[in-house]
Each structure stands twice: as C-alpha cells, then as structure tokens.
Amino acid sequence: MTIHAPRFQPPSLRDLREADLSDLLPGDLRDGESFHGASLADRDLADLTFSECSFTDLALGGLVCRGVRFTECTIVSADGATISAPSSTLRDVEVSHSRVGSFEGYDSRWNSVRFTGCKLGYINLRGSRIADVVFEDCQIDELDLGAATAKRVSFHGCRVGTLEVQGAALKDVDLRGLDLARIVGIDGLSGAVIDDGQLLQLAPLLAAQLGIEVV
C-alpha cells in the first residue's frame, strides 16, 4: 500500500520590513513584513491578508478574524485563549511553539501547513478542506474534522485527546504512532492509516459500530 506523505516546503522569507499591527484595519493587505511582540488581542478584523510575513511573540486572545488569509508566513510563539477565524485560508504556513486554547476555523481552506511544538486545545476545522498538513510534537486536546475533507495529513510525536471525524472524507491521513485517546464518528476513519496497536485500541469501537457483542 502506498501512503502519500504531506508535501510541505518551509516559507523562504527575505528582506522583510519591520512593522507593527497597531493601525491594522479590516480588509487590510500586509506584504513582506515582520512583526515582533505585536498584539491582535480582542480585535475584530475580517478579511485580512498577510503575504510573506513573519510573526514572533504574537498575542491573539479574543481575536475575531473571519476570512483571514495567510500565504507564505511563519508564526513563532503565538498565544491566544480564544481565536475565531472561520473561512480562513492558510497556504505555505509554518506555526511553531505556540499555544491556543480554542480555535474556531470551520469552513476553512488549509494547504501546505506545518505545526511544530504547539499546545492546542479545541481546534474546530469542521467542514474545512485541508491538504498537506503536518503536526509535529504537538499536544491537541480535541481536533474536530467533522464533515471535513482531508488528504495527506500526518502526525509525528503528537497526542490527541479526542478526534472527531463524523462525516469526514479522508485520504492518506496517517495516524500511525499518534497517541490517540478517543475517536468520535469512527465510520469517518475510512481513508486513514493506523498501526497494529491502534487497531487493538479501536477494536471495541469497531465491534460496537458493527453490532458485535464481545463477551
């Protein structure tokens, strides 16, 4: 069986201009800038676009940013208890060493995205389309992929408390080695790849799904 791994190329950012976000308005486009110690906390900023930008020590708690777009961006040490970003677009984005409590990102489009060393609470990608997404050394309390389309997604050195896949369409979603405590909507796992240990862990759920009584 051939399993297609995510295709990810780290953003190559050069000659960025130092800037701040204090004057940011809904619908703004920012290109080729770097932001250090900036804050978007408790702002309501729809339809923002960031292209070829870097962010370090970014405060995001309480941010509402429907339709935000990040293209070829890096985000390091972001922190936010709650973030609302439905219908967001991420393409060629790398997020590292960040903490997010609750992220509402339903109906989003993510392509070529990598999370490294992040602590994530509830991540809602319900109804989203994601491809070429990598999670490395991340702790995720709950990942909601209900009714989502996901292909070429992998997890390395990660733990997920609850994985929701009810109604999902998965292809080349590699769960091998993932420390996974609970699955909701196990019928939505079709198209995922698991290892022998995970199969044993899932056996009671599979039996219940098929109406098999184990005594």
Side-chain angles (χ1 to χ4, degrees):
M1 178 181 179
T2 301
I3 303 168
H4 298 284
R7 300 188 291 261
F8 178 81
Q9 182 68 34
S12 179
L13 303 177
R14 299 186 181 90
D15 303 321
L16 301 183
R17 304 179 303 277
E18 292 191 15
D20 64 60
L21 298 171
S22 59
D23 60 347
L24 198 63
L25 296 173
D28 276 357
L29 166 64
R30 306 296 287 266
D31 177 73
E33 297 179 330
S34 65
F35 306 95
H36 299 271
S39 175
L40 290 175
D42 300 316
R43 302 284 302 277
D44 191 342
L45 298 163
D47 300 320
L48 297 174
T49 298
F50 295 99
S51 178
E52 298 185 14
C53 292
S54 71
F55 304 82
T56 305
D57 296 327
L58 179 63
L60 296 171
L63 172 64
V64 178
C65 55
R66 174 180 288 273
V68 65
R69 299 170 182 84
F70 290 91
T71 302
E72 294 189 74
C73 292
T74 61
I75 302 172
V76 181
S77 298
D79 186 274
T82 61
I83 302 169
S84 178
S87 303
S88 59
T89 299
L90 275 64
R91 181 169 61 84
D92 299 326
V93 172
E94 187 166 22
V95 183
S96 60
H97 308 294
S98 297
R99 298 168 61 94
V100 174
S102 173
F103 178 84
E104 292 288 346
Y106 54 87
D107 295 332
S108 292
R109 301 292 181 267
W110 289 10
N111 290 276
S112 187
V113 180
R114 181 166 67 185
F115 291 86
T116 303
C118 294
K119 186 173 182 180
L120 310 172
Y122 172 58
I123 305 300
N124 180 1
L125 292 174
R126 180 169 289 271
S128 297
R129 301 179 67 88
I130 67 174
D132 299 310
V133 177
V134 179
F135 294 92
E136 296 179 340
D137 301 321
C138 291
Q139 178 178 327
I140 307 171
D141 292 339
E142 182 173 355
L143 177 58
D144 189 347
L145 296 177
T149 298
K151 58 184 179 180
R152 297 186 302 278
V153 179
S154 66
F155 299 82
H156 305 284
C158 295
R159 183 186 188 280
V160 174
T162 298
L163 176 63
E164 164 72 68
V165 288
Q166 184 70 49
L170 309 182
K171 183 177 181 181
D172 293 318
V173 175
D174 193 348
L175 303 178
R176 292 175 298 174
L178 174 65
D179 182 359
L180 181 59
R182 178 172 177 259
I183 295 177
V184 176
I186 194 168
D187 55 325
L189 275 183
S190 176
V193 180
I194 62 175
D195 58 34
D196 292 344
Q198 290 168 322
L199 179 58
L200 292 175
Q201 181 183 2
L202 294 175
L205 293 176
L206 292 169
Q209 180 75 22
L210 294 172
I212 299 172
E213 185 174 354
V214 180
V215 297

